[in-house]
Amino acid sequence: MELQLTKEEEAFRDKVRSWLHEQLSGPFRDLRGRGASGDQESHVEERIAWGKAMGAAGWNCIGWPKEFGGRGCSIKEEAIFNEEYVRANGPGRVGHIGETLLGPTLIHFGSPEQQERFLPPIVSGDEIWCQGYSEPEAGSDLANVQTKATLIGDEWIIEGQKIWTSGALHADWCFVLCRTDSTAPKHKGLSYILVPMKQDTIEIRSIKQMSGAAEFAEVFFDGAKARRDHVVGGVNNGWKVAMGTLAFERGASTLGQQYLFQQEFEQVVEAAKQTGVAKDPVFRQRLAAAWIGLKIMRVNALRMLEHQGTELSREALISKLYWSNWHRDLGKLAMDVMGPRAELIAGPPYELTRMQKWYLFSRADTIYAGSNQIQRNIIGERGLGLPKEPR
Ligand SMILES: Cc1cc2nc3c(=O)[nH]c(=O)nc-3n(C[C@H](O)[C@H](O)[C@H](O)COP(=O)(O)OP(=O)(O)OC[C@H]3O[C@@H](n4cnc5c(N)ncnc54)[C@H](O)[C@@H]3O)c2cc1C
């Protein structure tokens, strides 16, 4: 089962491929493969410049309608683009939260003024966004958000704390889920507010992880200001908008992601040959099982593409649970293949290998964007129609 391309789609693929090749073997050569999972902090300024170059050439936000600055690409063309991007070893994209989460949310829920102000700099790569949802007491239970916004004159004054905010250090803006009516029921008193990050009433403390990386942060709002008209979708309507943002995580990136997984899998096979465990029957079975998982993910992703336009299909419901567990298990297999060498770093400057980095980061895959348990609840309730979890 493969992606069937029309002549036009093949021409589109060739155009993508040659632009990426030209750039990534020319001016942006050093960025190849940088900024992937576990490596998000490397070359950030250069990757922002790369985002601007992509914008200038029309390769950011390609799935957005043309009237909002996109290319109006189909979901299949987006999948082609993502697959080529990974094949070309394109760097991790610093602007992806603006492109994949905030932009579509504004297109759907934003006012014309908000669209006009915020969409063009996402398309050009000039403004970087982060997502301010999670708090110490509000992760899976997102409706428990306590960060408060109070309207004083023409400004919202924000007090509270967010946590695990990816890319907060480099972001220009954050979409912050805030409580704007503490007397209303949990889901009803929230608003979705666009907050500029460069103010001295916002403190960002990076969180260092076991990998040594610190790409996410705690963000403290101590009287931070946002404009009155920068609430998306209406005051106290933030829950609906926040859920809309999560639904915009579309399936188009899955084929690109799988190409990346394929590359990682090949690295593991290569390592197994070098260490000799490729001859061990138990390792051979584990490698075969990983390969089968890859094929299942590909078939599932292609089925998702066929069902584009429908509300979350069954394939989409199981996708996150499947890929995140598969990827975590591949990381474990990679470390077992390496044996004691998995724990060694070659020498100064003591940078972890690519494999060590993605292994460590893969432990987060089953947590962010909905933990395993939450995904199972969703499958049970929405996919299988089981009774709702007691609250
Ligand atoms: C790498 C990474 C990047 C992230 N980036 C961002 C970001 O940019 N912005 C942002 O806002 N957040 C971000 N997050 C936070 C992420 O959304 C939360 O970690 C996630 O929602 C889980 O919330 P929590 O960590 O508070 O865990 P909790 O919700 O406290 O869950 C703890 C455990 O309890 C289980 N559990 C909770 N509720 C239930 C239930 N009802 N039924 C069964 N089991 C349950 C969970 O599955 C989990 O195992 C990021 C997280 C990671 C790991």
Side-chain angles (χ1 to χ4, degrees):
M1 198 171 176
E2 279 308 317
L3 202 55
Q4 303 294 330
L5 302 188
T6 62
K7 265 206 175 109
E8 292 74 32
E9 286 163 348
E10 270 176 25
F12 175 78
R13 185 191 57 196
D14 293 344
K15 199 166 159 186
V16 173
R17 194 177 281 182
S18 69
W19 187 81
L20 287 170
H21 175 75
E22 203 177 281
Q23 299 298 317
L24 291 170
S25 55
F28 294 100
R29 186 186 305 118
D30 293 345
L31 294 188
R32 285 168 62 109
R34 297 315 305 247
S37 293
D39 187 42
Q40 291 98 328
E41 283 172 289
S42 82
H43 298 72
V44 176
E45 291 309 320
E46 294 88 337
R47 280 161 53 221
I48 290 176
W50 163 248
K52 291 181 187 175
M54 283 188 60
W59 292 118
N60 283 337
C61 311
I62 59 170
W64 294 10
K66 287 188 177 151
E67 67 204 269
F68 295 114
R71 269 182 188 249
C73 284
S74 67
I75 197 158
K76 203 164 157 202
E77 285 170 325
E78 282 189 81
I80 294 169
F81 179 86
N82 287 328
E83 199 165 62
E84 287 305 319
Y85 192 86
V86 177
R87 200 193 301 267
N89 233 340
R93 294 174 67 183
V94 183
H96 72 104
I97 293 180
E99 170 162 348
T100 60
L101 299 183
L102 183 74
T105 305
L106 285 181
I107 289 171
H108 197 82
F109 296 100
S111 66
E113 293 74 27
Q114 289 167 349
Q115 292 167 347
E116 202 177 314
R117 162 62 188 85
F118 292 111
L119 296 179
I122 296 177
V123 176
S124 64
D126 283 311
E127 281 183 354
I128 305 297
W129 284 83
C130 63
Q131 177 181 25
Y133 278 18
S134 305
E135 298 181 3
E137 298 303 324
S140 305
D141 185 13
L142 187 58
N144 198 36
V145 155
Q146 301 299 324
T147 294
K148 206 170 147 189
T150 314
L151 190 60
I152 300 180
D154 267 347
E155 284 174 325
W156 292 100
I157 306 298
I158 300 158
E159 307 275 349
Q161 183 200 345
K162 296 291 172 182
I163 193 167
W164 318 123
T165 317
S166 302
L169 259 187
H170 310 287
D172 303 295
W173 289 84
C174 184
F175 46 98
V176 184
L177 196 56
C178 298
R179 190 152 299 282
T180 38
D181 181 355
S182 49
T183 60
K186 253 173 143 183
H187 295 77
K188 302 232 159 123
L190 297 168
S191 298
Y192 190 106
I193 305 183
L194 310 177
V195 182
M197 287 295 277
K198 312 280 185 230
Q199 15 183 342
D200 53 16
T201 43
I202 296 182
E203 189 188 344
I204 302 168
R205 293 187 203 155
S206 296
I207 304 171
K208 194 156 183 170
Q209 298 147 59
M210 61 182 171
S211 60
E215 84 283 352
F216 54 25
E218 291 178 287
V219 180
F220 296 86
F221 299 90
D222 185 12
K225 292 178 178 165
R227 266 175 52 167
R228 179 188 192 134
D229 56 344
H230 285 176
V231 176
V232 182
V235 176
N236 295 333
N237 196 28
W239 182 252
K240 190 168 169 207
V241 183
M243 290 303 105
T245 302
L246 296 183
F248 291 125
E249 290 180 308
R250 295 160 69 188
S253 60
T254 27
L255 282 181
Q257 181 196 46
Q258 280 162 34
Y259 200 79
L260 183 70
F261 288 172
Q262 170 85 33
Q263 286 177 345
E264 291 175 354
F265 171 75
E266 283 164 12
Q267 254 182 30
V268 178
V269 173
E270 202 41 50
K273 286 181 188 159
Q274 278 172 19
T275 58
V277 298
K279 296 195 185 106
D280 178 302
V282 175
F283 273 101
R284 290 167 80 88
Q285 281 183 31
R286 288 178 68 189
L287 288 167
W291 183 82
I292 291 167
L294 259 182
K295 295 291 148 194
I296 291 173
M297 282 188 285
R298 185 157 181 90
V299 171
N300 208 29
L302 292 170
R303 286 198 305 177
M304 258 159 61
L305 289 182
E306 271 176 19
H307 290 147
Q308 53 177 291
T310 57
E311 278 274 297
L312 279 177
S313 63
R314 285 183 170 224
E315 294 81 14
L317 287 179
I318 60 175
S319 163
K320 165 74 194 352
L321 184 68
Y322 197 92
W323 75 251
S324 58
N325 287 281
W326 179 89
H327 196 226
R328 182 201 55 198
D329 292 348
L330 185 76
K332 169 97 174 61
L333 175 58
M335 294 300 105
D336 290 345
V337 161
M338 296 305 288
R341 267 169 291 189
E343 296 181 35
L344 297 179
I345 303 178
Y350 300 110
E351 193 181 350
L352 296 174
T353 63
R354 203 168 164 178
M355 194 188 264
Q356 287 166 329
K357 283 182 186 172
W358 63 252
Y359 158 67
L360 289 173
F361 194 82
S362 72
R363 308 304 297 185
D365 288 339
T366 52
I367 302 171
Y368 67 84
S371 67
N372 268 355
Q373 290 78 5
I374 296 302
Q375 293 303 322
R376 288 197 180 96
N377 283 348
I378 293 173
I379 292 170
E381 292 173 15
R382 286 202 247 162
L384 302 174
L386 296 175
K388 281 207 179 296
E389 178 191 13
R391 304 227 177 243

